[in-house]
Amino acid sequence: MISKKEVVQSVPLSDIKTDEEVRTGTGFVELDRVLGGGIVQGSLVLVGGDPGIGKSTLLLQMCKNLSDREISVLYVSGEESLRQIKLRAERIGTFRNSLKLLCETNLEDIRQVLEKEKPEVVIIDSIQTMYNEEVSSAPGSVSQVREATAAFMQMAKGMGITIFIVGHVTKEGVVAGPRVLEHMVDTVLYFEGDRHEAYRVLRGVKNRFGSTNEIGVFEMRREGLVEVENPSQYMLSGRPEDASGSVVTCSMEGTRPILLEVQALVCRSFLNNPRRTATGADYNRVNLLLAVIEKRMGLRMSECDAYVNIAGGLRMNEPGIDLGIVLAIVSCYNDKPIDPNTICFGEVGLSGEVRAVSMAEQRVLEAKKLGFTRCILPQVCKEKMGHIKGIELVGIRNVNEI
């Protein structure tokens, strides 16, 4: 006798219960911030980044923190042998037996191990090495990556296991493989930074369980990654005194204000097309601001080479640092140092106007906390903010007022 298929029914929104989401701390305050408060059970997290940037080191240190609290963790590697992982782990510290290693790339074999051991957290390093025997293409191909991600998503949701998958990135800086990969997972994290610099930034670009604007800052040392709980203080260490072309500005990354040193070098060009270089800032944005300076302030930037750098190896694209870039360029052009106790922020428009930015009060309070006594900011922000004791607020409407 053929049984009738059950009819699918909809559920009223008011009948759905939303209990408090249980999160597990990773042992990293910076990583927890980017994840939205910790690891969510049954979630699938994609971690991308350039080769050698520290993705595997970060996840291995997270595994150590979890295993220290007797949370069962399985580290699945498709790129390194057990001995290689052991040598890397010895640099980090002593691991407990709650962390287990597995060198395997076959999806079905990995599924059987998960069903048997039922770990709470799983690391897959990397998704490009995993393969499904039923798919004829080679590991790392579009179809294999898509099938592997779908399989891990089913394991995470079906078994209630949190799975972190490592993804390699292309030259354009996006995860290699199909774009649908980022749509399938719950959270997408990018580990950014220059391998020759000490600082690394963990940035969330997608998060179903939290904000996508938060960042975490780490410093790479011999023993591994160390959290930078006060990035502003680190970014400003070693700042030159009485040097033109150097100014401190403030960028907002999520709810966190970060003070940065913007450096500019402007010198007469002997080329038909003057050189333009931007490190840490958007190249096109710097060119736009140079055009605003020439047109609205009357400075002959078309005859000069211009180099702009954000010290510390961080990359910031927030419009709030526009005023800092302009002020650094003008300072170097006129060879006039800026008071080291002065900070500035604001967005600069094409007509030279200084526009309001978000969270101005948090920026000012961060500057005051680090000892700055004067802040140049948009006049609109100053009027909304009022007086703040301990720091002088200078509001400007146009770049000519600098």
Side-chain angles (χ1 to χ4, degrees), residues 83-98:
R83 178 179 171 80
Q84 287 176 308
I85 301 173
K86 174 67 174 179
L87 291 173
R88 188 152 49 86
E90 287 178 344
R91 295 202 328 264
I92 297 173
T94 304
F95 286 73
R96 294 179 180 270
N97 291 332
S98 52

Side-chain angles (χ1 to χ4, degrees), residues 94-386:
T94 304
F95 286 73
R96 294 179 180 270
N97 291 332
S98 52
L99 171 64
K100 295 184 178 181
L101 304 179
L102 174 67
C103 287
E104 185 56 66
T105 57
N106 189 306
L107 283 175
E108 190 57 38
D109 292 342
I110 295 173
R111 184 195 301 273
Q112 292 176 7
V113 173
L114 296 187
E115 291 175 347
K116 178 182 177 181
E117 300 189 2
K118 293 183 172 54
E120 297 175 63
V121 178
V122 175
I123 312 296
I124 304 296
D125 189 6
S126 67
I127 190 66
Q128 277 83 12
T129 61
M130 303 295 147
Y131 73 94
N132 186 340
E133 291 180 334
E134 298 178 358
V135 180
S136 59
S137 56
S141 61
V142 171
S143 55
Q144 284 285 10
V145 170
R146 182 170 53 239
E147 288 297 320
T149 305
F152 286 124
M153 181 175 63
Q154 293 173 354
M155 296 179 205
K157 306 302 180 186
M159 304 181 197
I161 299 172
T162 302
I163 300 180
F164 287 80
I165 57 178
V166 176
H168 297 309
V169 298
T170 61
K171 289 187 291 185
E172 290 75 27
V174 297
V175 175
R179 193 66 182 178
V180 71
L181 180 64
E182 295 188 2
H183 297 296
M184 295 170 70
V185 301
D186 297 311
T187 305
V188 180
L189 308 179
Y190 277 101
F191 210 34
E192 305 171 353
D194 190 336
R195 283 188 296 173
H196 305 292
E197 296 284 349
Y199 298 106
R200 306 284 191 271
V201 175
L202 184 67
R203 193 184 304 273
V205 296
K206 175 189 176 182
N207 193 350
R208 288 176 178 157
F209 310 111
S211 171
T212 57
N213 295 321
E214 300 292 348
I215 68 166
V217 183
F218 297 84
E219 181 183 6
M220 178 63 81
R221 296 181 183 174
R222 187 178 180 278
E223 63 273 16
L225 290 161
V226 178
E227 295 177 279
V228 179
E229 296 182 2
N230 190 348
S232 299
Q233 193 170 9
Y234 274 79
M235 292 300 106
L236 301 181
S237 59
R239 189 160 57 102
E241 296 182 2
D242 298 327
S244 62
S246 174
V247 66
V248 177
T249 185
C250 186
S251 175
M252 288 299 300
E253 294 293 333
T255 57
R256 162 185 276 184
I258 297 181
L259 271 57
L260 307 162
E261 180 193 354
V262 179
Q263 299 175 333
L265 177 62
V266 179
C267 55
R268 186 180 176 186
S269 178
F270 295 96
L271 303 173
N272 292 330
N273 296 316
R275 291 178 62 89
R276 301 281 188 262
T277 301
T279 304
D282 183 64
Y283 175 77
N284 294 323
R285 190 71 182 175
V286 170
N287 279 330
L288 182 149
L289 295 174
L290 288 168
V292 170
I293 292 172
E294 174 148 356
K295 180 70 175 179
R296 305 302 178 187
M297 302 181 71
L299 303 182
R300 303 295 295 271
M301 303 307 302
S302 58
E303 299 177 355
C304 300
D305 293 334
Y307 308 87
V308 175
N309 173 51
I310 293 180
L314 292 183
R315 180 166 186 82
M316 296 293 174
N317 294 322
E318 202 233 347
I321 67 173
D322 286 356
L323 190 59
I325 295 174
V326 170
L327 196 53
I329 292 172
V330 174
S331 167
C332 187
Y333 184 91
N334 293 323
D335 199 20
K336 291 184 178 180
I338 297 170
D339 179 12
N341 293 318
T342 297
I343 186 175
C344 66
F345 59 83
E347 180 182 354
V348 176
L350 293 180
S351 61
E353 79 278 13
V354 180
R355 308 174 72 91
V357 295
S358 61
M359 301 185 183
E361 187 170 354
Q362 286 93 322
R363 301 176 199 240
V364 173
L365 293 176
E366 178 74 6
K368 177 186 172 184
K369 186 172 70 175
L370 290 180
F372 290 87
T373 57
R374 182 185 293 111
C375 179
I376 303 174
L377 71 166
Q379 179 65 28
V380 178
C381 295
K382 180 188 175 183
E383 292 172 354
K384 291 181 179 179
M385 199 180 313

